[in-house]
Amino acid sequence: MRDEDVEYFSQFLGEFQGETDRGAALVGAALVDERLHRLLESHFVACKESKELLKGGNAPIGSLSARIKMAYCLGLITELEFKECELIRRVRNEFAHQVHGLTFADNKINDLCKNLRANTPDGARFDGNTRQLFINSVILVSLALWYRPEYNKPNRAKHRDWSYQLSP
């Protein structure tokens, strides 16, 4: 990773791991959301309309759910990445919509996190620690997506002339 990215990611990790369970779910999903936003934007024509699709209250691709599906349908993320992102989103939603008292030990959160499949460093799956499984998946998905927008630079969509098009 580039030095500035290592610094950004290190600062994020410090905050992320220090969060409450609710905070970890929300902040972790926000990082994945931001990475998907950058990935999708890198495949669009550079114009105001592209930004409107991705940002704002009524943006058609402004939600994490829509970004996950769009990235998958465009072949920008793998099936495993799609499934991990969906589980991360579902965990985030559980925490976001529960007013009080939810933790990673909750049965529903526990079940969702146990379905996360991103490889753990030693394959031990953190002895079933669902918070660590979640954190691990957020980190690995984010790192997998980190430089994908840069890989696409030569192939970024452009407006072009068509042999059959409207003319003024």
Side-chain angles (χ1 to χ4, degrees):
M1 288 182 92
R2 294 184 293 247
D3 289 343
E4 64 269 15
D5 294 331
V6 169
E7 184 178 333
Y8 173 88
F9 199 67
S10 295
Q11 289 175 354
F12 169 80
L13 283 177
E15 290 180 27
F16 181 38
Q17 292 178 326
E19 287 285 348
T20 64
D21 283 358
R22 181 184 307 273
L26 299 176
V27 169
L31 179 64
V32 171
D33 189 32
E34 189 267 335
R35 294 286 106 194
L36 288 166
H37 175 271
R38 284 186 68 244
L39 179 62
L40 289 166
E41 186 176 48
S42 75
H43 284 77
F44 292 169
V45 171
C47 63
K48 176 183 71 128
E49 290 76 12
S50 293
K51 291 187 186 322
E52 290 172 355
L53 284 173
L54 290 162
K55 280 253 189 225
N58 294 321
I61 315 170
S63 70
L64 178 56
S65 177
R67 290 177 182 168
I68 293 167
K69 288 176 186 157
M70 180 65 81
Y72 182 64
C73 290
L74 290 172
L76 304 178
I77 60 174
T78 68
E79 184 175 359
L80 176 58
E81 291 164 348
F82 169 75
K83 288 177 180 177
E84 294 292 290
C85 288
E86 278 291 307
L87 287 165
I88 289 166
R89 179 191 63 78
R90 289 178 64 196
V91 168
R92 188 254 348 234
N93 285 355
E94 288 297 318
F95 278 101
H97 298 293
Q98 182 74 28
V99 175
H100 175 66
L102 194 62
T103 70
F104 278 98
D106 180 82
N107 286 337
K108 185 157 187 177
I109 299 297
N110 190 47
D111 291 345
L112 288 169
C113 290
K114 284 189 175 180
N115 285 307
L116 292 165
R117 293 290 171 241
N119 290 330
T120 55
D122 62 0
R125 307 258 319 134
F126 298 108
D127 296 322
N129 181 325
T130 53
R131 180 183 168 104
Q132 279 307 126
L133 287 169
F134 180 83
I135 288 171
N136 184 68
S137 281
V138 166
I139 291 168
L140 292 177
V141 166
S142 298
L143 289 173
L145 301 179
W146 203 270
Y147 290 116
R148 274 195 205 159
E150 281 77 10
Y151 293 136
N152 185 58
K153 280 188 180 180
N155 301 316
R156 185 173 186 137
K158 298 171 183 65
H159 290 289
R160 56 185 172 201
D161 291 327
W162 296 92
S163 55
Y164 295 99
Q165 67 181 28
L166 290 176
S167 55

